[in-house]
Structures are given as C-alpha cells and as structure tokens.
Amino acid sequence: MPLTKKEAMEVYERLEKMFPDARAELDYTTPYELLIATILSAQCTDVRVNKVTKVLFQEHDTPEKMVRLSQEELEGYIKSCGVYRNKAKNILAASRIIIESWGGEIPPTIEDLMTLPGVGRKTANVVASNVLGIPAIAVDTHVFRVSNRLGLAESKNVDGTEKQLMAIWPEDCWTKGHHLLIFLGRRICKAQRPLCEECDLNDLCRYYQGASE
DNA sequence: AACTCGGGGCA
DNA sequence: TGCCCAGAGTT
C-alpha cells in the first residue's frame, strides 16, 4: 500500500526542511534556453550541459539564431553531451518547428511540447513546470527510485509514478515536489549505497526498514 | 508494456 | 574494455 495523502504531505514538508534550497537544476533565463538545455541534459550531467550552453547561447539563444547553424556546427558545440548527433538533429528540427508553427514561441502545453523531436514526457514536464507555470511532475530515475523507496508510489515504470504522485500530492506541490525528490535522490537516496543514516526520513522509509525497491 | 538506440561513465 | 544506464521513439 502506498502512503496516505496525509503521510505524503508529511514527507513533502519534511523534504522542504531537508532541502530549503531545492530548485531547478538547470537555471536559464528564457523558455527556449531551458528547452534546449533540457534536451541536452538527457543521459548527461548538468555540469556538462551548463558548460556547453554557456558557450552555445552566447550567439545562439533563440530559435532564429539556432537554425543558422549547420548540423555539423551544432555538433561541434554539444559534442560532450552524450548522444550529440541525435540531439543536434533534434534541436535544429525542433527550432524550425517552433519558428514555423509556433511563431518563434515555446509550444504552450505539455502535449504541444511533446510533438517536438527529442522532447518526451520528462522534458516536456520540466519545461512546462519551470517556465510555463503548468504544474507537472517530471519523473526521471531519481524521482522514480525515491518515490518507490519511500512509498509515495508503487510502480514499475515512470508513467505510473507520475500518475501516483499527482494523485497523492495536491497540484501546488507538484513542481517543487519534483525538485525536492531530485535533491533527495542526488544527495542522499542514491541508487547505489544510499546514505540512509543521514536521511531525516528513514523513520518512515520502507526501503530503510528492509523492503526491497 | 517492452524493446531499441548512441554514446558516456565507471568497474 | 565491456557492462550499464537515461530518456526518446517505435512497435
């Protein structure tokens, strides 16, 4: 059985105390910059992404400027970000679609965002919740893992976790809740060798109390 | 729901 | 050097 709503709110409030500085890991000034940075961040640490975008966005921080780059030129900028060929192709194609179909603006809903190449549910939720003001819980592997361990969700896939978190937390907790769970996953509730003794939630954590993931 | 994919990270 | 992984796309 997953936690009750009351227990889930207690988890949320205690997470706020643990991580008063929790916020988006990718911190950009415009929706377009966040979209591109989030596409780049798949299978890649945000340290690398931040390094790359710092240079890339100096001259190419809008879709109109981005599409002036050739595929090869863009690959040169983002080479250290994992699957760079696919990402370069997707970023150029998505930028063209944004110009031609959305008047140069970021698509305004999660569903519209997901029509862009290289943008799946997780990336769409990150952009929607951080810069469009749409409450959403982006479930990456950190969120998936810690939600199951804590009992906030019981799911074998990220879609199930997203639904269950949305059901157990009120809407105005979704966006920050996502950030809180990521902080917990990165700093304490790591995939390997989690630091359970340092975790303020271990008194109610099923994983700590011996349950498997 | 399950499989594939391209490259980085780490053992 | 080979195994594993995260997220998108495809079937």
Side-chain angles (χ1 to χ4, degrees), chain A residues 15-24 176 179-180 183 187:
Chain A
L15 282 169
E16 281 186 308
K17 290 204 180 72
M18 286 172 77
F19 306 109
D21 57 336
R23 55 170 177 75
K176 190 170 183 191
H179 295 141
L180 290 169
F183 269 59
R187 306 215 179 149

Side-chain angles (χ1 to χ4, degrees), chain A residues 1-4 6-15 18 146-152 184 196 199-211:
Chain A
M1 284 286 286
L3 299 179
T4 65
K6 193 179 169 207
E7 292 167 327
M9 271 320 291
E10 191 194 332
V11 168
Y12 182 92
E13 283 158 13
R14 287 165 69 173
L15 282 169
M18 286 172 77
V146 307
S147 297
N148 278 342
R149 284 179 176 173
L150 284 170
L152 288 169
L184 178 65
C196 296
C199 181
D200 295 343
L201 296 172
N202 63 17
D203 59 306
L204 55 73
C205 178
R206 299 161 182 212
Y207 182 75
Y208 181 66
Q209 286 156 17

Side-chain angles (χ1 to χ4, degrees), chain A residues 28-53:
Chain A
Y28 291 100
T29 51
T30 69
Y32 180 74
E33 289 187 0
L34 178 68
L35 172 68
I36 300 307
T38 308
I39 290 174
L40 288 173
S41 75
Q43 305 133 292
C44 175
T45 66
D46 34 327
V47 175
R48 279 172 183 272
V49 173
N50 285 329
K51 209 173 278 181
V52 161
T53 54

Side-chain angles (χ1 to χ4, degrees), chain A residues 20-97:
Chain A
D21 57 336
R23 55 170 177 75
E25 60 275 33
L26 296 166
D27 197 12
Y28 291 100
T29 51
T30 69
Y32 180 74
E33 289 187 0
L34 178 68
L35 172 68
I36 300 307
T38 308
I39 290 174
L40 288 173
S41 75
Q43 305 133 292
C44 175
T45 66
D46 34 327
V47 175
R48 279 172 183 272
V49 173
N50 285 329
K51 209 173 278 181
V52 161
T53 54
K54 199 173 176 193
V55 178
L56 176 64
F57 290 160
Q58 278 176 14
E59 301 290 335
H60 305 93
D61 58 345
T62 67
E64 293 80 7
K65 293 177 188 168
M66 189 68 75
V67 296
R68 291 185 200 145
L69 292 172
S70 70
Q71 162 100 22
E72 292 71 27
E73 287 169 331
L74 182 52
E75 285 177 8
Y77 279 100
I78 68 172
K79 211 141 194 135
S80 56
C81 289
V83 284
Y84 62 91
R85 283 193 201 92
N86 282 341
K87 287 178 181 175
K89 190 162 56 128
N90 287 336
I91 287 169
L92 290 175
S95 298
R96 284 189 208 103
I97 292 171

Side-chain angles (χ1 to χ4, degrees), chain A residues 28-35 98 102 104-114 116 119 123-136 171 175:
Chain A
Y28 291 100
T29 51
T30 69
Y32 180 74
E33 289 187 0
L34 178 68
L35 172 68
I98 288 170
W102 302 99
E105 301 293 320
I106 295 298
T109 71
I110 290 169
E111 291 70 29
D112 293 333
L113 283 164
M114 285 177 66
L116 300 174
V119 179
T123 300
N125 281 352
V126 166
V127 173
S129 62
N130 284 304
V131 296
L132 299 182
I134 299 170
E171 196 172 301
T175 298

